[in-house]
Amino acid sequence: METILCQSDMEGATTMSKELSKRLYYFSTFDGGLYVTGKCVNAKFVMNMRKENTDYVEKVKQTLEEADIGVRVYDRADYNTDGFIRAEQVRLESKTHPKLTTIWERVYLDGRKVIDPHMLTLLDAEALAIIFMADGGRYVDKRCHATPNYKLHTKGFSYGDNWLLKKALKEKLDLEFNINRHGKYWFLSLRAKDSTKFEEIVSPYVLPSFNYKLGR
């Protein structure tokens, strides 16, 4: 298997369009990860995804290619070594690049992933759809035909980060989320009266393999 080499001597502009910047920020923060390893100076993007979500993988790959960042996708080696059977996965891995380093420096503080305030200025319907596909869920109490309840499982972030995201979702998209606690973790839960609005906002950007999260 070909190894992705460091591009520590790569020269190139770190500026990019608002749309590309938005997608890279949200893909990196909510599903994939950015890593600076070994002797590499710049960061690379890595994401593992189930094979049935190939359309999402292709969207991320397209975004990286539009940003002139080299990328490859390959089958992830079998990792079912603990007796559990899990769905097959693919791995997406980019080359290192200064554009990714710029994002890495803003979303990783002391080794912990955070919500970058700058990223929230880019929040729109597509960005919310990315969060939803990566970390969202839909729940319905079938006993009483209740309105669907949508949650964003942002448990990897602090209370303060969740508050920043909650505030931006209200200001940018007029969606009211509540911050809920699960043990020592925090996540966002949409108020029931905004469920239909939420579906209308994200539906155009939710990829077919994730339509099940909208009950389709």
Side-chain angles (χ1 to χ4, degrees):
M1 183 180 295
E2 180 187 358
T3 301
I4 295 288
L5 299 176
C6 298
Q7 300 295 312
S8 57
D9 58 348
M10 180 183 294
E11 294 183 359
T14 58
T15 58
M16 55 188 138
S17 71
K18 179 180 177 180
E19 285 300 304
L20 275 179
S21 180
K22 174 192 71 182
R23 279 185 252 140
L24 284 178
Y25 261 103
Y26 281 86
F27 285 137
S28 299
T29 303
F30 291 98
D31 218 336
L34 297 174
Y35 303 91
V36 177
T37 59
K39 296 181 180 179
C40 297
V41 172
N42 289 306
K44 67 178 179 180
F45 178 95
V46 178
M47 180 182 74
N48 297 313
M49 183 64 65
R50 294 180 303 175
K51 275 192 172 181
E52 54 259 44
N53 298 122
T54 301
D55 50 1
Y56 187 91
V57 177
E58 285 300 313
K59 184 69 174 179
V60 177
K61 181 174 180 287
Q62 177 188 358
T63 298
L64 288 162
E65 289 174 340
E66 288 178 8
D68 295 322
I69 300 172
V71 62
R72 65 178 179 140
V73 178
Y74 55 91
D75 288 344
R76 187 181 181 190
D78 185 23
Y79 59 101
N80 293 313
T81 59
D82 54 4
F84 293 94
I85 304 300
R86 300 178 180 86
E88 292 184 88
Q89 290 192 352
V90 296
R91 184 179 181 90
L92 180 149
E93 185 175 354
S94 79
K95 290 187 176 181
T96 61
H97 199 283
K99 291 176 182 176
L100 297 176
T101 306
T102 298
I103 298 174
W104 175 78
E105 290 172 343
R106 299 186 69 111
V107 301
Y108 287 88
L109 296 180
D110 298 324
R112 183 176 65 87
K113 189 181 284 189
V114 302
I115 298 293
D116 174 28
H118 169 68
M119 177 184 72
L120 295 178
T121 67
L122 305 173
L123 180 65
D124 61 9
E126 182 182 30
L128 176 56
I130 291 172
I131 300 173
F132 179 61
M133 288 186 285
D135 293 325
R138 179 180 186 269
Y139 306 89
V140 178
D141 187 344
K142 296 181 180 179
R143 297 170 299 177
C144 56
H145 304 288
T147 300
N149 176 244
Y150 289 99
K151 291 179 169 59
L152 302 178
H153 296 290
T154 47
K155 296 178 181 179
F157 299 98
S158 68
Y159 177 89
D161 286 327
N162 274 279
W163 184 86
L164 287 173
L165 181 57
K166 162 188 163 66
K167 182 172 181 287
L169 287 164
K170 178 62 177 177
E171 292 175 350
K172 295 282 189 176
L173 300 172
D174 195 28
L175 293 171
E176 187 68 60
F177 282 84
N178 298 307
I179 302 177
N180 295 127
R181 187 169 188 168
H182 182 251
K184 62 180 180 179
Y185 302 106
W186 306 94
F187 66 95
L188 297 180
S189 180
L190 182 70
R191 67 177 178 181
K193 66 179 292 185
D194 284 351
S195 292
T196 299
K197 182 193 296 185
F198 175 87
E199 293 168 356
E200 291 172 349
I201 289 171
V202 301
S203 287
Y205 301 99
V206 171
L207 297 168
S209 71
F210 282 103
N211 271 334
Y212 73 91
K213 290 194 173 188
L214 290 170
R216 300 171 183 173

